[in-house]
Amino acid sequence: MIHIDILTVVPELLESPLNYSIVKRAKERGLAEINIIDIREYGKGRYRQVDDYSFGGDAGMVLMIEPIYNIISKLKGEREYDEVIYMSPDGDLLNQGTANMLSCKKNLILLCGHYKGIDHRIREHLITREISIGDYVLSGGELPAAILCDSIIRLIPGAISDETSALSDSFQDNLLAPPVYTRPSEFMGWRVPDVLLSGNPKLIQEWQESQSLERTKRLRPGLTDL
Ligand code: SAH
């Protein structure tokens, strides 16, 4: 069972991506627990202020340290966290290895930034790991956090019905997955490769391995150097 607390100023953005399909099933099966915390509930004063102008006059608002410090302190009083992760475009690029590693953890905090980002002291003193989902900038950390959760939770044994299925996906073993087909075996004259219809498991496995290798070399040559 993995427990994930997600800190956000826009909780609505996380509702749909984490409430369907494999993630939903994993939650129902008691394999994952996701708790979404609205940073605004810890905001300052009557107006629940969570952001302020940045020192130095750069355009854009910055999430303040105090509400986030208070939430993280409270959470840490309730359980021991393996990682406090900040979703950030300048963090380590998310890959399958990171997802595998995090899927073995028990308790995670994910912090979503917004606007111009978060007070840097949060990153210096409270965050243990920073993760980016790619070299582009989004409006907030919610979609990246949802992506990270999905990539982790589907790896927990029992989340995917066919236990071996996640292991044969792309990037496990640094290889891309082979092509897959389903019925009908012929459509508009386009045929499924004969070998897949042969019923010979050894030949099929050899074909899948050679396709994996060929596709990896052609499409993602860098993967084989890892
Ligand atoms: N001013 C910042 C970007 C802020 S974008 C900069 O130039 O680096 C607002 C928030 O969106 C960030 O705090 C972060 O939590 C999230 N975010 C944006 N792009 C992201 C990415 N590629 N990966 C992970 N999080 C991202």
Side-chain angles (χ1 to χ4, degrees):
M1 152 75 104
I2 191 166
H3 174 98
I4 304 176
D5 288 296
I6 308 180
L7 279 48
T8 169
V9 288
V10 199
E12 296 82 4
L13 274 174
L14 286 160
E15 273 163 21
S16 160
L18 299 175
N19 280 322
Y20 292 93
S21 184
I22 292 171
V23 175
K24 177 183 179 200
R25 208 163 54 212
K27 290 197 292 187
E28 286 170 354
R29 290 179 179 170
L31 302 171
E33 190 173 64
I34 301 173
N35 182 25
I36 295 170
I37 298 169
D38 186 349
I39 298 172
R40 260 176 225 291
E41 285 177 14
Y42 295 75
K44 285 179 70 170
R46 254 180 72 202
Y47 295 105
R48 301 266 176 225
Q49 186 186 1
V50 292
D51 57 344
D52 210 334
Y53 295 98
S54 70
F55 284 124
D58 194 10
M61 302 299 275
V62 176
L63 287 183
M64 299 188 298
I65 189 167
E66 201 177 328
I68 290 170
Y69 177 87
N70 289 340
I71 301 173
I72 293 179
S73 304
K74 179 168 175 275
L75 292 175
K76 281 183 173 168
E78 293 164 7
R79 42 169 59 85
E80 215 165 294
Y81 286 90
D82 300 293
E83 301 271 5
V84 183
I85 299 169
Y86 174 50
M87 306 312 302
S88 180
D90 55 12
D92 295 334
L93 275 180
L94 177 60
N95 59 28
Q96 195 64 28
T98 307
N100 285 337
M101 181 272 290
L102 291 174
S103 74
C104 302
K105 304 290 184 195
K106 292 262 166 290
N107 296 303
L108 303 175
I109 293 176
L110 309 185
L111 172 59
C112 308
H114 228 83
Y115 318 115
K116 211 53 195 158
I118 63 174
D119 190 306
H120 202 72
R121 288 167 291 185
I122 301 169
R123 301 174 66 172
E124 287 168 336
H125 300 289
L126 303 175
I127 296 296
T128 60
R129 183 182 288 273
E130 301 189 328
I131 294 180
S132 164
I133 60 159
D135 287 346
Y136 43 85
V137 174
L138 298 163
S139 316
E142 289 76 14
L143 297 177
I147 286 172
L148 180 61
C149 281
D150 187 314
S151 73
I152 293 172
I153 288 171
R154 66 193 303 285
L155 293 170
I156 298 173
I160 296 184
S161 305
D162 178 357
E163 287 275 345
T164 58
S165 172
L167 295 178
S168 61
D169 280 334
S170 292
F171 306 113
Q172 301 289 0
D173 300 334
N174 290 331
L175 286 174
L176 300 183
V180 290
Y181 301 85
T182 186
R183 280 179 283 203
S185 56
E186 185 168 340
F187 177 74
M188 306 276 278
W190 302 324
R191 284 181 54 75
V192 169
D194 284 335
V195 58
L196 293 179
L197 308 175
S198 70
N200 182 331
K202 187 166 171 282
L203 278 185
I204 292 174
Q205 196 189 339
E206 278 169 15
W207 180 85
Q208 287 172 331
E209 283 169 8
S210 71
Q211 287 286 317
S212 266
L213 273 172
E214 187 279 321
R215 286 172 59 78
T216 308
K217 279 194 187 128
R218 179 163 51 88
L219 300 171
R220 298 295 298 275
L223 271 184
T224 42
D225 308 336
L226 291 175

